[in-house]
Amino acid sequence: MFGIKQLEDFMEEKFGVAVDTNEVGEETVLLYHEELDEELISEDVLQLLPNPVLFQTYIYNDESEWIIGIALEEETNNPLFLICLKDGTKVYEEMLKFNLQRK
């Protein structure tokens, strides 16, 4: 699972941003591939993710708006893919676990 502590560590390590956890919003949604923006998540990545996919999103505003999305395996909540947007622009993505058995 990717929780608030991992979010703090990720933002500090990758972007030098110290997150105030009291200012973080979060939401979990189940999305079908056709609901995902293909400019943000490529077809190659979609082929590795289950359909539908559970997305945990964190929103943090400091001087910029940060949105961090983690695709989770629905049954286990294991993180599969991470995407990070800054002011609406993709600034980072990473496959966290390849799940090649599901398409």
Side-chain angles (χ1 to χ4, degrees):
M1 176 110 186
F2 189 98
I4 201 75
K5 178 64 177 143
Q6 288 82 8
L7 174 70
E8 286 180 298
D9 294 345
F10 168 77
M11 292 297 289
E12 182 67 40
E13 180 181 311
K14 294 292 182 194
F15 303 107
V17 174
V19 172
D20 177 354
T21 58
N22 294 322
E23 299 295 320
V24 175
E26 63 182 292
E27 178 181 23
T28 303
V29 293
L30 189 63
L31 298 170
Y32 288 92
H33 286 188
E34 54 270 7
E35 296 176 282
L36 298 169
D37 187 338
E38 58 194 40
E39 290 183 26
L40 297 178
I41 301 176
S42 72
E43 183 64 35
D44 292 338
V45 171
L46 284 179
Q47 290 179 11
L48 299 173
L49 298 177
N51 190 17
V53 62
L54 190 63
F55 257 92
Q56 175 74 36
T57 58
Y58 296 96
I59 299 173
Y60 180 67
N61 288 296
D62 63 351
E63 295 173 10
S64 298
E65 178 186 61
W66 295 90
I67 300 174
I68 299 88
I70 300 92
L72 303 170
E73 193 169 43
E74 187 175 7
E75 292 117 24
T76 64
N77 282 335
N78 287 331
L80 303 171
F81 173 74
L82 181 146
I83 186 166
C84 183
L85 308 176
K86 180 180 179 184
D87 296 327
T89 301
K90 180 170 56 173
V91 294
Y92 185 83
E93 69 176 13
E94 178 182 355
M95 288 302 301
L96 301 172
K97 176 182 171 188
F98 290 97
N99 188 3
L100 299 174
Q101 295 177 343
R102 297 174 75 179
K103 287 193 179 195

